Amino acid sequence: MAVITTGFFDGVHLGHRHLLETVVSSARERGEEAVVVTFWPHPRTVLQQDARDLRLLSSLEEKKALLLEAGIDRVEVLPFTRAFASMTAREYLQMLRERFGATLVVMGYDNRIGSDRRTAKELTECVIADEYVMAGSDRPSVSSTQIRNALKAGDVETANAMLGYRYGLHGVVVAGNRLGRTIGFPTANMKLYEPLKLVPAGGVYAVDVQVLGRNLKGMCNIGVRPTVGATNGLTIETNIFDFDEDIYGLDITISFSKRIREERKFASLEDLKAQLLRDKQTAALLPIILAVSG
């Protein structure tokens, strides 16, 4: 038997966490499992609702890890298809009971489920599980959309405050043009594992870096490197402080602390180097705080 909540939970932010606290506490009181039933891919990619503009706060693996860290016992992932999307709220709740043993379904006060978009208040006549609990109506509103908008504006500090942890990017180190090394600022160029992951606005950021099992400080430039000429699109390159090891092909995670400045074009490489020295001084003053998300 299980206490269940369901939804996409992109980013597993503070708004989600109040709901998860209710699920976990209810499950412990009843001696049952605390379970999240989520789905993948995002509904907009299947239903083609502005899917080209969709960017995610968390990959599937990041989301699962965050849910488990919040105290959830088990995460079930259902494939989101058009057939799945056609289920009514009553049919969906019936499935939760039959397939996952739901005895209590916890929903956010403004959550809607099923093709008929029903809320918990509207479902009181549908006694599919034993009861329903609404959570979160007394808390300040936090949404994934608000967080995405903050990141798109480069405001990582506001995004982090709403997430409850530092926003991060996870990928593999790939070869770059090695220009940074010639001016004393070698960079690790990242290719994201999740192509739909939202990349913050262009600029220079103070970041914490997790690589080779170590936690290090650095600064990351997101942009098109205008001083050295056009690139083949957006680059994510991180200068790791006091670090000079070969990490090509290895995992790297960066978590954002603060945006230092916008990306801009400098008159010369010497001017760029002088600015990078100032950027490093700013970033080096910030403490390392490990990201919850990988």
Side-chain angles (χ1 to χ4, degrees), residues 34-283:
V35 177
V36 167
V37 177
T38 188
F39 30 87
W40 195 267
H42 194 284
R44 283 169 57 183
T45 66
V46 175
L47 302 177
Q48 299 178 345
Q49 299 172 336
D50 300 320
R52 290 183 179 179
D53 298 325
L54 174 67
R55 291 297 179 268
L56 301 175
L57 299 174
S58 52
S59 68
L60 178 58
E61 291 307 311
E62 288 171 341
K63 176 166 66 172
K64 288 164 66 175
L66 286 162
L67 290 168
L68 294 173
E69 287 165 4
I72 294 298
D73 298 312
R74 181 159 49 98
V75 179
E76 297 286 351
V77 182
L78 302 177
F80 192 94
T81 63
R82 287 188 174 271
F84 180 90
S86 70
M87 279 194 293
T88 65
R90 185 183 181 92
E91 291 168 338
Y92 186 65
L93 291 169
Q94 184 70 38
M95 182 273 292
L96 292 181
R97 180 169 187 171
E98 293 177 353
R99 184 167 173 181
F100 302 112
T103 64
L104 175 64
V105 177
V106 179
M107 294 173 59
Y109 72 99
D110 60 351
N111 285 18
R112 295 180 179 273
I113 62 172
S115 59
D116 46 350
R117 306 292 293 156
R118 308 287 292 280
T119 66
K121 280 185 177 180
E122 296 167 328
L123 289 166
T124 53
E125 80 280 14
C126 301
V127 187
I128 307 303
D130 290 345
E131 54 183 312
Y132 301 91
V133 171
M134 289 187 293
S137 59
D138 59 340
R139 296 296 182 94
S141 175
V142 174
S143 73
S144 298
T145 298
Q146 290 173 320
I147 297 167
R148 291 189 193 105
N149 288 340
L151 291 170
K152 289 175 183 177
D155 188 358
V156 294
E157 293 174 281
T158 294
N160 290 346
M162 290 189 285
L163 285 166
Y165 60 88
R166 292 193 180 188
Y167 186 71
L169 299 177
H170 182 208
V172 61
V173 179
V174 297
N177 64 5
R178 296 180 178 269
L179 180 64
R181 186 172 295 276
T182 67
I183 59 172
F185 288 90
T187 59
N189 294 271
M190 175 189 291
K191 180 179 179 181
L192 297 177
Y193 286 133
E194 173 50 68
L196 289 183
K197 182 89 180 207
L198 192 156
V199 178
V204 177
Y205 295 85
V207 296
D208 295 340
V209 185
Q210 292 82 51
V211 67
L212 291 174
R214 292 153 65 183
N215 302 305
L216 304 164
K217 293 184 68 62
M219 58 185 182
C220 174
N221 184 81
I222 296 173
V224 295
R225 299 185 297 180
T227 303
V228 298
T231 65
N232 295 323
L234 193 73
T235 61
I236 307 167
E237 47 186 355
T238 302
N239 172 243
I240 308 173
F241 302 157
D242 305 316
F243 182 86
D244 189 22
E245 298 183 36
D246 183 359
I247 53 174
Y248 289 122
L250 300 185
D251 278 5
I252 186 171
T253 297
I254 59 173
S255 48
F256 294 88
S257 300
K258 182 182 180 66
R259 191 187 196 199
I260 297 172
R261 61 174 174 84
E262 295 181 351
E263 185 182 48
R264 62 179 184 268
K265 184 175 182 177
F266 292 90
S268 67
L269 288 180
E270 283 303 312
D271 288 347
L272 172 60
K273 181 177 180 179
Q275 180 61 57
L276 291 175
L277 285 168
R278 291 191 290 271
D279 295 340
K280 181 176 180 178
Q281 290 174 343
T282 300

